Amino acid sequence: GYAFNLAAFGIMVGANQKAERWRLLKGKRYDAAALWEIVFHRHYTATLTIDEGDPMPDDYCLVAGLNTVHTGLGMRAAPHAELADGKLDLVIIRQVRRHHLVGMLRNIYRGTHIDDPRCEYLQATSFSIDTDTPSPLNIDGETRGTTPVGVRLLPARVQLL
């Protein structure tokens, strides 16, 4: 399959699923759902490989590859992303304490979560995630597919008018 903006693993998947069910909360539903995930499902064991590099097994809270700055309702998840730069912006958060995750959530609307040393922000052309058991993915805001997954940027494949 294909994605335009987002391919994510970890707490972003569960938060998105809950936010869709919690529409009565309107604009605050993503924050409420993210807090729920932080409290109850803080990390997921996986092996991440970036640009054919060495596999990195670890406990991850979030791995997200983005092609644009925004996701969700105004979240600046990838503040340095450029649609036509030929790179995916990766946001990687390994297992951290809950209060650190809450702080990053609070800062994601300004894009300053990436200033936290526990948040890795880098650019790549591909990444893959493997888990012992299939884990759901967030693809452009929809729960689609499971791990293992390989994501590769296909530059200049979409022409905007």
Side-chain angles (χ1 to χ4, degrees):
Y2 293 92
F4 181 75
N5 179 47
L6 169 71
F9 163 81
I11 62 174
M12 191 177 272
V13 179
N16 188 63
Q17 290 170 326
K18 282 174 186 54
E20 288 302 311
R21 291 193 303 267
W22 294 354
R23 288 191 170 272
L24 290 175
L25 297 176
K26 301 190 184 199
K28 294 297 180 187
R29 70 182 196 251
Y30 284 100
D31 291 340
L35 285 172
W36 178 276
E37 287 299 306
I38 288 169
V39 170
F40 294 106
H41 304 285
R42 185 172 84 201
H43 60 87
Y44 303 80
T45 301
T47 299
L48 173 65
T49 305
I50 301 171
D51 284 338
E52 312 290 326
D54 292 333
M56 297 177 287
D58 210 335
D59 287 335
Y60 294 92
C61 296
L62 167 72
V63 176
L66 297 108
N67 202 25
T68 62
V69 171
H70 293 94
T71 191
L73 294 174
M75 294 179 184
R76 295 177 51 84
H80 301 302
E82 294 181 27
L83 187 60
D85 67 357
K87 299 283 186 183
L88 287 166
D89 286 48
L90 296 180
V91 178
I92 304 163
I93 302 172
R94 297 170 196 260
Q95 182 179 356
V96 297
R97 295 187 180 276
R98 287 180 180 93
H99 70 277
H100 293 303
L101 282 174
V102 170
M104 284 185 244
L105 173 64
R106 188 178 61 243
N107 293 331
I108 198 168
Y109 291 95
R110 291 186 308 271
T112 58
H113 61 293
I114 66 169
D115 297 332
D116 188 306
R118 291 165 288 266
C119 179
E120 297 173 58
Y121 187 91
L122 54 104
Q123 292 186 316
T125 57
S126 67
F127 68 97
S128 65
I129 302 168
D130 196 8
T131 54
D132 288 340
T133 58
S135 186
L137 302 168
N138 179 337
I139 307 296
D140 286 341
E142 302 291 330
T143 303
R144 289 196 329 231
T146 62
T147 57
V149 64
V151 177
R152 181 172 50 99
L153 184 72
L154 302 174
R157 294 295 169 114
V158 175
Q159 293 183 357
L160 301 175
L161 301 176

